[in-house]
Amino acid sequence: GWARAVRGLLLDVSGVLYDSGADGGVPIAGSVEAVRRIKASGLKLRFCTNETQATRENFVKKLRGMGFDISVSEVTAPAPAACHILKERGLRPHLLVHDDLVPEFAEMDKTNPNCVVLGDAAENFTYANLNEAFRVLIGMEKPVLISLGRGRYYKETDGLKLDVGAYMKALEYACDVQAEVVGKPSKRFFESALAEMGVPPEQAIMIGDDIVNDVGGAQRCGMRALQVRTGKYRPSDENHPDVKPDAYVNNLAEAVDIILQHL
């Protein structure tokens, strides 16, 4: 029943389309063809990523180099959403993000910061940089911490890596503040992707490898959600106490096979 009455698909990227890595990463078997089949079917499609180690332009360029049919206009990502919030609220960010993401914030006023924006800074997550972000926050009367996601870990070709959520929690604890999460599993993030597709949540399926941020976040918005057994998936996910996917699939290609059979 989960595969019926679908008009739109939301795809996580890392762990569903490809496994990232120092060399750029590698596509997951069958995923390039699966994306091609989705587009040929006429289904609406959005790529929903918490990727914050590159601008959308460079991220898409990398994926196109792997053979994926994808354009910048099809990607819903945290950094542009964060910039919209910063402009809306007159916030001046102190950035603790990956060097390659900084151009996304080029138009933001960063003088005399009145908030901290945290992304997957990778090698920039040094003690000195975390402490600097801490000092900016602790010096505010009402600290504002904006996090571009809250993932615990992700998978690269050489194994699992700590994600932004671990560092977000450290700053929350130290500064007695609750972060505002812009990427998945934020309801606003999913609603933005659905609006861009023009598809109501009950006619959309999210496909991801993260049981909490992809599956749980999408289900809270009224979508169906599948977990793939690729990327960061671990067998223990299938015993999660709070989140139960509408289905498990071995990979994106298998999910697409089933969905297209029911069109």
Side-chain angles (χ1 to χ4, degrees):
W2 64 262
R4 299 184 185 278
V6 179
R7 286 182 50 215
L9 297 179
L10 291 76
L11 304 184
D12 180 30
V13 179
S14 178
V16 174
L17 300 188
Y18 83 114
D19 284 324
S20 59
D23 57 353
V26 295
I28 292 169
S31 58
V32 171
E33 176 66 9
V35 170
R36 188 198 65 75
R37 293 179 67 203
I38 294 168
K39 292 198 167 186
S41 73
L43 287 170
K44 298 287 185 71
L45 177 62
R46 293 296 296 179
F47 299 93
C48 291
T49 179
N50 271 4
E51 168 64 45
T52 56
Q53 288 196 10
T55 62
R56 279 186 302 169
E57 287 76 10
N58 286 339
F59 183 55
V60 165
K61 183 178 178 182
K62 177 174 75 171
L63 290 170
R64 290 181 69 88
M66 294 181 192
F68 289 101
D69 179 4
I70 181 173
S71 65
V72 172
S73 63
E74 296 172 309
V75 176
T76 302
C83 287
H84 179 75
I85 290 169
L86 295 172
K87 289 176 183 175
E88 196 174 65
R89 292 163 53 182
L91 293 171
R92 302 178 304 277
H94 170 85
L95 298 176
L96 178 45
V97 300
H98 197 282
D99 289 341
D100 292 342
L101 191 71
V102 171
E104 290 273 21
F105 297 90
E107 296 181 13
M108 298 294 105
D109 179 5
K110 304 176 195 69
T111 58
N112 190 25
N114 57 2
C115 73
V116 168
V117 172
L118 188 68
D120 180 12
E123 302 303 323
N124 283 348
F125 277 136
T126 63
Y127 175 80
N129 287 344
L130 276 166
N131 199 53
E132 187 178 2
F134 158 74
R135 285 177 170 175
V136 171
L137 284 170
I138 205 72
M140 296 177 193
E141 187 177 342
K142 293 183 179 179
V144 177
L145 173 60
I146 295 173
S147 185
L148 307 181
R150 70 172 192 199
R152 295 177 298 161
Y153 55 85
Y154 57 94
K155 183 186 177 188
E156 289 197 339
T157 51
D158 62 345
L160 299 177
K161 303 290 177 75
L162 273 178
D163 204 350
V164 61
Y167 303 95
M168 178 195 86
K169 287 293 184 183
L171 289 173
E172 282 185 331
Y173 177 68
C175 301
D176 194 21
V177 61
Q178 185 166 354
E180 301 174 39
V181 179
V182 176
K184 297 175 291 185
S186 159
K187 189 173 183 181
R188 180 173 176 173
F189 186 81
F190 283 111
E191 288 173 344
S192 173
L194 288 167
E196 287 159 354
M197 288 198 301
V199 172
E202 63 272 13
Q203 294 180 349
I205 292 178
M206 174 72 199
I207 303 174
D209 67 330
D210 189 312
I211 186 72
V212 173
N213 294 323
D214 294 332
V215 175
Q219 288 177 332
R220 281 194 297 274
C221 289
M223 282 185 272
R224 285 161 279 176
L226 313 182
Q227 187 178 16
V228 291
R229 294 188 176 102
T230 56
K232 69 166 69 172
Y233 163 85
R234 303 176 80 188
S236 59
D237 291 345
E238 302 198 22
N239 299 312
H240 196 279
D242 303 315
V243 183
K244 305 296 179 190
D246 290 85
Y248 291 96
V249 288
N250 287 321
N251 49 44
L252 176 62
E254 181 180 299
V256 171
D257 278 343
I258 298 168
I259 291 165
L260 296 188
Q261 286 170 16
H262 287 83
L263 284 184

